[in-house]
Amino acid sequence: MINNMEMKDRIKTLGLVAVMASVMGACTLETSGNGDLDGFWHLVAVDTVDTGGVLNLSDERLVWSFQGNLLSHRDADGRCDELISYFERPGDSLFVTRTFFYDRPNSDPAVEDMGVLRPYGINKLGEHFYVQHLDGGTMILLSDKLRLYLKKM
């Protein structure tokens, strides 16, 4: 015969099991399908295609971060504006589309002055890059003017 205390313990345990089962069932593994692209990338060099000049940025802390369909541009040293862009990646292309200042209190205003994107190697709204190389550690992007070298962080 089960006493009152044992019955209460069993009910609590069953309730806890039911809650845990519903929580576990609600969790889903979300993947973006971006493969090696997802994550944090350090912009280490920019090569000017026309002249062959190379700007070494390895001591700078300019970071691109991909997740889902969003691309974050951040200067960890705080010299450049933090930006958020949408991107698309059909095949071996990368299109950086709409870009906004990361400014939550002001509803993330749209970028209209391309000067804020240039430190990140982006020269125009809707910039198209050819993905020359992408693996788990390095990425090379080619636009009509620049070749960007990025290393996974």
Side-chain angles (χ1 to χ4, degrees):
M1 185 117 199
I2 299 175
N3 66 31
N4 233 4
M5 190 59 123
E6 287 177 348
M7 182 59 86
K8 286 181 181 179
D9 286 343
R10 284 188 180 184
I11 290 172
K12 285 180 186 178
T13 301
L14 286 173
L16 182 60
V17 168
V19 168
M20 292 300 291
S22 67
V23 167
M24 296 298 273
C27 294
T28 59
L29 181 61
E30 186 175 320
T31 60
S32 67
N34 291 333
D36 286 335
L37 184 64
D38 271 348
F40 295 91
W41 293 87
H42 178 206
L43 181 61
V44 294
V46 176
D47 175 9
T48 306
V49 175
D50 289 341
T51 65
V54 177
L55 176 61
N56 181 352
L57 296 169
S58 60
D59 291 334
E60 305 293 321
R61 297 190 305 160
L62 298 170
V63 178
W64 290 33
S65 176
F66 294 89
Q67 182 180 3
N69 65 344
L70 293 177
L71 166 58
S72 169
H73 318 274
R74 185 170 180 270
D75 177 2
D77 296 316
R79 291 185 298 258
C80 301
D81 290 305
E82 187 171 353
L83 308 168
I84 294 280
S85 298
Y86 286 95
F87 76 91
E88 297 172 10
R89 183 160 177 252
D92 58 2
S93 290
L94 175 70
F95 293 94
V96 179
T97 59
R98 299 171 293 157
T99 301
F100 304 87
F101 289 97
Y102 185 79
D103 185 3
R104 292 289 136 126
N106 293 308
S107 302
D108 299 332
V111 168
E112 296 175 10
D113 174 14
M114 286 310 304
V116 300
L117 278 166
R118 286 198 179 97
Y120 298 104
I122 301 171
N123 286 308
K124 60 185 174 186
L125 294 173
E127 184 83 81
H128 170 244
F129 292 98
Y130 167 68
V131 181
Q132 268 191 319
H133 177 80
L134 174 61
D135 64 25
T138 59
M139 176 166 51
I140 301 172
L141 301 175
L142 178 65
S143 71
D144 58 347
K145 296 182 188 227
L146 301 174
R147 183 174 287 112
L148 309 180
Y149 297 88
L150 298 103
K151 288 198 184 249
K152 192 86 170 233
M153 299 175 68

